[in-house]
Amino acid sequence: MTMVTAYILIAVTTILVTRAYLTATGFPQVGGASLHIAHALYGAALMTVAMVVQWLFLGRNARIVGIVLGGVGFGLFLDEVGKFVTKTNDYFYHPAADIMYLSMMVVIIGGNLVRFARRPTAHESLTNAAEIAAQGLVTGLGRRRREVAMTLAARAEAGGADARAVQAVRDMLYACDDAPERLPGLRLAVSAAVPGPVTTVWRSPIVASLAGWAMVAVSLETCATTLLGVPWRPSELLFGADGGGDGVVWVSDLTYLVLGGVSFVLAVIALVARRVTRRRRPPPLLPLRLLLAVAVSFTFVGAITDFAQFGFGALVSVAIGLFTISVIAREIRGIQFHETRSERTRSIRL
């Protein structure tokens, strides 16, 4: 998970918790009879504190604190977007959920595009390794962070960076104290708490196929009911068929007609290709990657119209889509893990 993604997940959680708290407490106001101190102000203050923390302190912990404070602040600020775009300061403005969703998608997509648009140069790789080493001298380094830094140093050396500078960074990494790996430990604890049969079923390749065929059925049903003008799309059955006004409904119908049809065709191609090539070792990743791309587009493009039409109710369909994406992504990671282990075994034998 990238830090940009973590920032947005914290913001989403903040919005949901804030809305739930305000609903449960009857929407109290802070400020007395004449003032109303909006929680957007607290959000702006937290975002400012997040920037100051990262200016004043070194190390990964300071960056994590900044991400948490900034994510909470961004969530509090964005939660009141309805007040900022309406003349009546309407906190319950219906398209506010869609504005929040689009804002967050812009941050996630933009941040990851910058990160993946091009590979770092040799000097940038060395600089990143040196930054990790500098942080490690303050807080120590876990095994994973140390491996990442060593990989960056090796990439810099292969790319033509000064050998003396590369060795100096490696010496810094060797000098860093060991630090516990908190996140892997948490994952192991969670995995240990899950019953064995559940883990076995979750790791089965059949689960990814079932999730894929479920997506095929939903995309076909979505396309067919939209084409026939029948309000039986899953989101319409859950939340009603008349949300958002006529213009929004027309855009939603057009979006789902195209999105459902394209998703159905591509998902069927991916699943059939996976079935045909299932006996190959290792199994090819292209069908699963195509299926993952279909699940991502169907979930997040469809969510734009769902948020506009149904407001925060669209979170239900997004959650189902995220579950499908996680199942397919887990299958891809499992195949990649076995490929890497096989390569290491062959290299040891050689």
Side-chain angles (χ1 to χ4, degrees):
M1 180 189 300
T2 66
M3 291 187 176
V4 173
T5 304
Y7 176 84
I8 292 300
L9 287 177
I10 293 170
V12 171
T13 303
T14 301
I15 292 173
L16 296 179
V17 170
T18 301
R19 293 259 169 171
Y21 170 78
L22 292 177
T23 302
T25 56
F27 296 92
Q29 294 186 353
V30 178
S34 58
L35 296 176
H36 170 48
I37 303 176
H39 52 267
L41 297 177
Y42 301 115
L46 284 174
M47 286 189 283
T48 302
V49 172
M51 289 189 294
V52 172
V53 166
Q54 296 193 66
W55 291 337
L56 293 180
F57 300 98
L58 294 174
R60 185 174 176 81
N61 291 338
R63 180 171 292 186
I64 292 174
V65 170
I67 290 171
V68 172
L69 293 178
V72 173
F74 185 54
L76 290 174
F77 177 81
L78 202 57
D79 182 60
E80 295 204 296
V81 69
K83 292 183 176 181
F84 305 143
V85 298
T86 58
K87 292 182 178 180
T88 56
N89 294 331
D90 186 5
Y91 178 73
F92 303 100
Y93 181 53
H94 188 81
D98 207 31
I99 296 172
M100 296 178 200
Y101 173 76
L102 289 174
S103 299
M104 292 180 178
M105 289 304 296
V106 167
V107 174
I108 287 180
I109 293 173
N112 284 283
L113 280 178
V114 170
R115 186 169 181 262
F116 297 116
R118 65 178 181 86
R119 292 177 62 86
T121 64
H123 292 93
E124 289 170 343
S125 296
L126 186 60
T127 301
N128 288 330
E131 183 180 3
I132 294 174
Q135 294 174 359
L137 291 174
V138 178
T139 60
L141 284 179
R143 180 182 59 82
R144 180 178 174 275
R145 290 284 289 172
R146 195 185 299 272
E147 289 178 354
V148 169
M150 287 295 188
T151 301
L152 289 170
R155 187 180 300 165
E157 186 175 34
D162 184 10
R164 292 174 300 176
V166 173
Q167 188 57 46
V169 172
R170 284 176 176 153
D171 291 340
M172 288 176 63
L173 291 169
Y174 293 139
C176 295
D177 295 329
D178 291 329
E181 294 275 6
R182 296 185 180 89
L183 188 56
L186 179 61
R187 287 175 179 170
L188 289 174
V190 172
S191 299
V194 177
V198 175
T199 303
T200 302
V201 172
W202 173 252
R203 292 177 178 175
S204 172
I206 298 176
V207 176
S209 297
L210 290 175
W213 285 113
M215 185 171 60
V216 166
V218 171
S219 59
L220 177 60
E221 189 266 354
T222 297
C223 181
T225 53
T226 303
L227 184 63
L228 297 174
V230 181
W232 288 354
R233 292 203 304 262
S235 52
E236 291 174 328
L237 293 175
L238 283 171
F239 313 118
D242 56 351
D246 293 339
V248 172
V249 172
W250 181 85
V251 173
S252 177
D253 289 344
L254 180 61
T255 300
Y256 270 116
L257 180 63
V258 176
L259 184 64
V262 173
S263 298
F264 170 75
V265 172
L266 294 179
V268 168
I269 292 173
L271 288 166
V272 171
R274 184 169 187 248
R275 176 72 176 175
V276 170
T277 59
R278 70 187 185 281
R279 296 185 183 277
R280 296 183 185 177
R281 290 294 177 268
L285 288 175
L286 183 59
L288 279 173
R289 284 174 174 162
L290 175 59
L291 191 64
L292 180 62
V294 173
V296 169
S297 61
F298 189 75
T299 299
F300 293 110
V301 175
I304 297 174
T305 58
D306 277 356
F307 273 109
Q309 193 171 358
F310 307 111
F312 284 96
L315 288 170
V316 176
S317 57
V318 171
I320 296 172
L322 289 175
F323 174 77
T324 303
I325 292 169
S326 67
V327 168
I328 300 170
R330 193 218 63 79
E331 181 69 11
I332 292 174
R333 289 195 301 270
I335 294 175
Q336 290 174 330
F337 172 77
H338 288 299
E339 287 181 353
T340 302
R341 188 170 62 179
S342 298
E343 290 176 359
R344 287 178 179 174
T345 303
R346 285 196 298 268
S347 64
I348 291 173
R349 289 175 180 173
L350 293 174

